[in-house]
Amino acid sequence: MAESLIRITDIKRDFQLGSETINVLKGIDLNINKGEYVALMGPSGSGKSTLMNLLGCLDTPTSGTYILNGKDVSKMHDDDLAEVRNKEIGFVFQTFNLLPRTTALDNVALPMVYAGYSKSDRHERAKEVLAQVGLADRMDHQPNQLSGGQRQRVAVARALVNKPSIILADEPTGNLDSKTSVEIMKLFDDIHANGNTVILVTHEEDIAQYAHRIIRLRDGIIESDTPNR
């Protein structure tokens, strides 16, 4: 039987805008098993970014429960959430979010600093994942010495470095040309093939097609949830 990694039950997220309450997520139920490759889609205002922030433990729900890898993270405080994020979730962003004056190696090793690993362990693991994403020969380069595609590979390596339960990618090809986008999406295929759970947030149909399951949001609810293989 498939093992549930994410179990969300009746998640709601409201935001206050002056005296008005905006209901962004209106009761989401969602199960994602270990090893799945899921795309989250939806137009602007559908709630997909809010859902991604909740999945990534960057935010907590107004009501409902979120069980991540057996832990109820929906009621956690910021410090505990930060620890869960660092251990369980590898983030890949559209804008790469790399430290500009820092080598690829040190950018990748950064999450391991927070996790308390020694410098030699950090560098060893960072070298391993940089090789995995095809950048063994670029470890000492700073971001401004790398192409957009290479920068995104560094970001992917950084996401993998702590061996997280989930890789959460937010529009990971948004700043890349189409040829480089294909290369980065092939990299996500490889990562998924290695047993990682991948959740991809995108508004591009052709990028969503790489996933094996597509969840579409509209107006704060799940409109459809269909297998794609």
Side-chain angles (χ1 to χ4, degrees), residues 1 4 14 25 30 40 71 77 80 106 114 116 118 125 130 141 154 158 165 184 186 204 210 212 218 227:
M1 173 149 166
S4 180
D14 304 333
L25 296 178
L30 180 60
L40 275 184
K71 289 190 205 93
H77 295 297
D80 296 332
D106 284 331
Y114 301 127
S118 71
R125 174 68 182 147
L130 278 165
H141 289 56
V154 173
R158 182 185 55 195
S165 310
I184 292 296
K186 284 204 174 108
E204 297 178 66
Y210 285 88
H212 297 191
R218 185 173 293 277

Short mmCIF file of all heavy atoms in Angstrom, two decimals, residues 1 4 14 25 30 40 71 77 80 106 114 116 118 125 130 141 154 158 165 184 186 204 210 212 218 227:
data_model
loop_
_atom_site.label_atom_id
_atom_site.label_comp_id
_atom_site.label_asym_id
_atom_site.label_seq_id
_atom_site.Cartn_x
_atom_site.Cartn_y
_atom_site.Cartn_z
N MET A 1 0.85 -1.20 0.00
CA MET A 1 0.00 0.00 0.00
C MET A 1 0.89 1.26 0.00
O MET A 1 1.89 1.32 0.70
CB MET A 1 -0.88 -0.04 1.26
CG MET A 1 -1.66 1.23 1.45
SD MET A 1 -3.21 0.96 2.27
CE MET A 1 -3.61 2.62 2.69
N SER A 4 1.27 7.46 2.78
CA SER A 4 0.86 8.86 2.68
C SER A 4 1.94 9.77 3.27
O SER A 4 2.41 9.55 4.37
CB SER A 4 -0.46 9.05 3.45
OG SER A 4 -0.87 10.37 3.36
N ASP A 14 -7.87 32.07 5.57
CA ASP A 14 -8.50 33.38 5.41
C ASP A 14 -7.46 34.47 5.63
O ASP A 14 -6.51 34.29 6.39
CB ASP A 14 -9.62 33.58 6.46
CG ASP A 14 -10.66 32.48 6.41
OD1 ASP A 14 -10.83 31.89 5.32
OD2 ASP A 14 -11.27 32.20 7.46
N LEU A 25 -8.56 29.83 0.68
CA LEU A 25 -8.76 28.37 0.55
C LEU A 25 -10.03 28.01 1.31
O LEU A 25 -10.19 28.38 2.47
CB LEU A 25 -7.57 27.60 1.11
CG LEU A 25 -6.23 27.80 0.38
CD1 LEU A 25 -5.13 27.00 1.07
CD2 LEU A 25 -6.30 27.42 -1.09
N LEU A 30 -6.63 16.78 0.61
CA LEU A 30 -5.60 16.36 -0.34
C LEU A 30 -4.70 15.31 0.30
O LEU A 30 -4.26 15.46 1.43
CB LEU A 30 -4.76 17.59 -0.75
CG LEU A 30 -3.63 17.41 -1.75
CD1 LEU A 30 -4.14 16.87 -3.07
CD2 LEU A 30 -2.90 18.73 -1.96
N LEU A 40 0.63 21.34 -9.32
CA LEU A 40 -0.48 22.17 -8.82
C LEU A 40 -0.69 23.28 -9.83
O LEU A 40 0.24 24.04 -10.11
CB LEU A 40 -0.10 22.82 -7.50
CG LEU A 40 -0.28 22.08 -6.19
CD1 LEU A 40 0.09 23.01 -5.04
CD2 LEU A 40 -1.70 21.59 -6.00
N LYS A 71 3.59 13.97 11.10
CA LYS A 71 3.56 15.05 12.11
C LYS A 71 2.45 16.04 11.77
O LYS A 71 2.31 16.42 10.60
CB LYS A 71 4.88 15.82 12.10
CG LYS A 71 6.08 15.10 12.63
CD LYS A 71 7.24 16.10 12.78
CE LYS A 71 8.58 15.43 12.73
NZ LYS A 71 9.17 15.38 11.41
N HIS A 77 4.38 26.21 15.91
CA HIS A 77 4.87 27.59 15.98
C HIS A 77 6.06 27.77 15.04
O HIS A 77 6.64 26.79 14.55
CB HIS A 77 5.25 27.95 17.42
CG HIS A 77 4.05 27.95 18.32
ND1 HIS A 77 3.00 28.82 18.15
CD2 HIS A 77 3.73 27.16 19.38
CE1 HIS A 77 2.07 28.59 19.07
NE2 HIS A 77 2.48 27.58 19.83
N ASP A 80 9.41 25.67 15.29
CA ASP A 80 9.23 24.26 14.94
C ASP A 80 9.00 24.11 13.43
O ASP A 80 9.52 23.18 12.81
CB ASP A 80 8.03 23.66 15.69
CG ASP A 80 8.26 23.65 17.20
OD1 ASP A 80 9.44 23.58 17.61
OD2 ASP A 80 7.28 23.73 17.95
N ASP A 106 29.09 26.59 -1.63
CA ASP A 106 28.61 27.13 -0.35
C ASP A 106 27.11 27.44 -0.38
O ASP A 106 26.42 27.33 0.64
CB ASP A 106 29.42 28.36 0.07
CG ASP A 106 30.80 27.96 0.60
OD1 ASP A 106 30.91 26.85 1.14
OD2 ASP A 106 31.76 28.74 0.44
N TYR A 114 22.32 25.26 8.85
CA TYR A 114 21.21 25.37 9.81
C TYR A 114 20.91 24.03 10.48
O TYR A 114 20.42 23.99 11.60
CB TYR A 114 19.95 25.89 9.11
CG TYR A 114 20.12 27.22 8.46
CD1 TYR A 114 19.79 27.44 7.13
CD2 TYR A 114 20.65 28.30 9.17
CE1 TYR A 114 19.96 28.68 6.52
CE2 TYR A 114 20.83 29.54 8.58
CZ TYR A 114 20.49 29.72 7.26
OH TYR A 114 20.66 30.94 6.67
N GLY A 116 23.12 21.95 11.33
CA GLY A 116 24.17 21.66 12.31
C GLY A 116 25.24 20.66 11.89
O GLY A 116 25.91 20.08 12.73
N SER A 118 28.88 19.39 10.28
CA SER A 118 30.24 19.94 10.25
C SER A 118 30.59 20.40 8.84
O SER A 118 29.97 19.97 7.86
CB SER A 118 31.25 18.87 10.67
OG SER A 118 31.36 17.89 9.64
N ARG A 125 28.74 16.46 1.05
CA ARG A 125 27.38 16.25 0.56
C ARG A 125 27.05 17.24 -0.57
O ARG A 125 26.43 16.87 -1.57
CB ARG A 125 26.38 16.41 1.72
CG ARG A 125 24.92 16.36 1.34
CD ARG A 125 24.46 15.00 0.87
NE ARG A 125 23.05 15.06 0.46
CZ ARG A 125 22.53 14.33 -0.51
NH1 ARG A 125 23.27 13.46 -1.17
NH2 ARG A 125 21.26 14.45 -0.83
N LEU A 130 25.90 18.44 -6.32
CA LEU A 130 26.29 19.23 -7.50
C LEU A 130 26.67 18.31 -8.65
O LEU A 130 26.34 18.57 -9.81
CB LEU A 130 27.43 20.19 -7.16
CG LEU A 130 26.97 21.50 -6.49
CD1 LEU A 130 28.15 22.22 -5.85
CD2 LEU A 130 26.28 22.43 -7.49
N HIS A 141 32.32 28.42 -8.83
CA HIS A 141 31.80 29.60 -9.53
C HIS A 141 30.73 30.28 -8.68
O HIS A 141 29.94 29.63 -8.01
CB HIS A 141 31.18 29.20 -10.88
CG HIS A 141 32.18 28.79 -11.90
ND1 HIS A 141 33.10 27.78 -11.68
CD2 HIS A 141 32.42 29.24 -13.16
CE1 HIS A 141 33.85 27.62 -12.76
NE2 HIS A 141 33.46 28.50 -13.67
N VAL A 154 21.99 24.76 -9.50
CA VAL A 154 22.55 24.98 -8.15
C VAL A 154 21.39 25.01 -7.14
O VAL A 154 21.46 24.39 -6.06
CB VAL A 154 23.36 26.30 -8.08
CG1 VAL A 154 23.77 26.61 -6.64
CG2 VAL A 154 24.59 26.22 -8.97
N ARG A 158 20.77 22.55 -4.01
CA ARG A 158 20.55 23.04 -2.64
C ARG A 158 19.28 22.43 -2.04
O ARG A 158 19.22 22.08 -0.86
CB ARG A 158 20.45 24.57 -2.65
CG ARG A 158 20.27 25.19 -1.27
CD ARG A 158 20.04 26.69 -1.35
NE ARG A 158 18.91 27.00 -2.21
CZ ARG A 158 18.64 28.20 -2.70
NH1 ARG A 158 19.44 29.22 -2.43
NH2 ARG A 158 17.60 28.41 -3.47
N SER A 165 11.97 15.14 2.37
CA SER A 165 10.86 14.27 1.96
C SER A 165 10.23 14.76 0.66
O SER A 165 9.71 13.98 -0.12
CB SER A 165 9.76 14.26 3.03
OG SER A 165 10.31 14.02 4.29
N ILE A 184 15.91 21.48 -17.39
CA ILE A 184 15.60 21.50 -15.95
C ILE A 184 14.47 20.51 -15.63
O ILE A 184 14.53 19.79 -14.63
CB ILE A 184 15.23 22.94 -15.49
CG1 ILE A 184 16.46 23.85 -15.55
CG2 ILE A 184 14.62 22.94 -14.09
CD1 ILE A 184 17.61 23.49 -14.61
N LYS A 186 13.85 17.76 -17.25
CA LYS A 186 14.44 16.41 -17.31
C LYS A 186 15.14 16.09 -15.99
O LYS A 186 15.13 14.96 -15.51
CB LYS A 186 15.45 16.34 -18.47
CG LYS A 186 14.78 16.23 -19.85
CD LYS A 186 15.73 15.57 -20.85
CE LYS A 186 15.03 15.31 -22.18
NZ LYS A 186 15.51 16.22 -23.23
N GLU A 204 1.90 26.82 -16.45
CA GLU A 204 2.16 26.43 -17.84
C GLU A 204 1.79 24.97 -18.07
O GLU A 204 2.34 24.07 -17.44
CB GLU A 204 3.65 26.64 -18.16
CG GLU A 204 4.06 28.10 -18.07
CD GLU A 204 5.55 28.28 -18.35
OE1 GLU A 204 5.95 28.02 -19.49
OE2 GLU A 204 6.29 28.66 -17.43
N TYR A 210 4.82 17.21 -17.35
CA TYR A 210 5.89 16.33 -16.85
C TYR A 210 5.45 15.56 -15.60
O TYR A 210 6.00 14.50 -15.30
CB TYR A 210 7.14 17.17 -16.49
CG TYR A 210 7.93 17.65 -17.68
CD1 TYR A 210 7.63 18.85 -18.32
CD2 TYR A 210 8.99 16.89 -18.19
CE1 TYR A 210 8.36 19.29 -19.42
CE2 TYR A 210 9.72 17.32 -19.29
CZ TYR A 210 9.40 18.52 -19.90
OH TYR A 210 10.12 18.94 -20.99
N HIS A 212 3.00 13.39 -12.96
CA HIS A 212 2.20 12.17 -13.15
C HIS A 212 0.78 12.33 -12.62
O HIS A 212 -0.04 11.43 -12.72
CB HIS A 212 2.88 10.98 -12.45
CG HIS A 212 4.23 10.66 -13.03
ND1 HIS A 212 4.91 9.51 -12.72
CD2 HIS A 212 5.01 11.35 -13.90
CE1 HIS A 212 6.07 9.50 -13.38
NE2 HIS A 212 6.15 10.61 -14.10
N ARG A 218 -9.36 26.21 -8.41
CA ARG A 218 -10.11 27.37 -8.89
C ARG A 218 -10.92 27.92 -7.72
O ARG A 218 -11.58 27.16 -7.02
CB ARG A 218 -11.02 26.99 -10.07
CG ARG A 218 -11.73 28.20 -10.69
CD ARG A 218 -12.49 27.81 -11.95
NE ARG A 218 -11.61 27.41 -13.02
CZ ARG A 218 -10.99 28.24 -13.86
NH1 ARG A 218 -11.15 29.53 -13.74
NH2 ARG A 218 -10.21 27.78 -14.81
N PRO A 227 -4.93 11.66 -12.75
CA PRO A 227 -3.63 11.06 -13.10
C PRO A 227 -3.22 11.51 -14.49
O PRO A 227 -4.07 11.81 -15.34
CB PRO A 227 -3.89 9.55 -13.05
CG PRO A 227 -5.36 9.37 -12.97
CD PRO A 227 -5.99 10.67 -12.62
#
